[in-house]
Amino acid sequence: MNTSMDDKAILSAVLDRWKAGVDAHRPERVAALFTEDAVFQGLHPYSVGRQGVAAYYDSQPLGLKAEYRILETRRPADGLVLGYLDVDFTFTDRPALPVKLAVLVSRVGDDWYIAHYQVSRLD
């Protein structure tokens, strides 16, 4: 099987759950997709750990939705998949916000979790 397709499938499985949590405004569900010591950089100062992730998504407006497209994947080591994505965050009361997202997912036991998340705005 093609490793690139495997990597894309791994990222999609994690990011589909992330999107579902974001779209439903379920910050605790989103935070549960991250490792306990995840480095998280949204568009505000960074945090480390699930509590910071939950607080970030809890502060987002109701109606926020995310649409993503995986641009590139890499496998830097066994049990790690790096992804680079386009993400459009849409709102009910203002224009969409297009960003670039880099994520590193890590295998923990039988599942994959986000260990690093960094959003960049390219204005």
Side-chain angles (χ1 to χ4, degrees):
M1 203 169 189
N2 184 325
T3 301
S4 177
M5 290 307 291
D6 289 347
D7 295 348
K8 189 173 181 179
I10 289 166
L11 279 177
S12 293
V14 175
L15 293 170
D16 285 351
R17 294 190 314 252
W18 166 80
K19 176 191 171 5
V22 169
D23 290 359
H25 195 76
R26 300 285 305 272
E28 295 299 329
R29 182 186 297 171
V30 174
L33 300 170
F34 287 74
T35 61
E36 303 259 351
D37 62 347
V39 175
F40 179 85
Q41 176 65 62
L43 293 176
H44 304 290
Y46 85 98
S47 64
V48 176
R50 291 177 176 160
Q51 183 177 3
V53 174
Y56 180 86
Y57 283 106
D58 191 41
S59 73
Q60 298 305 309
L62 293 174
L64 175 73
K65 306 277 188 226
E67 292 294 332
Y68 73 87
R69 183 170 63 95
I70 297 171
L71 301 173
E72 294 289 335
T73 64
R74 298 291 186 272
R75 180 72 69 121
D78 286 342
L80 294 174
V81 176
L82 176 67
Y84 185 63
L85 305 94
D86 276 332
V87 179
D88 288 324
F89 288 104
T90 59
F91 304 87
T92 59
D93 62 346
R94 60 183 174 233
L97 176 64
V99 299
K100 298 295 186 185
L101 174 63
V103 294
L104 180 68
V105 297
S106 175
R107 187 177 188 99
V108 179
D110 292 333
D111 211 348
W112 293 85
Y113 295 88
I114 302 168
H116 185 273
Y117 175 106
Q118 183 166 354
V119 167
S120 298
R121 280 180 75 171
L122 303 178
D123 295 329

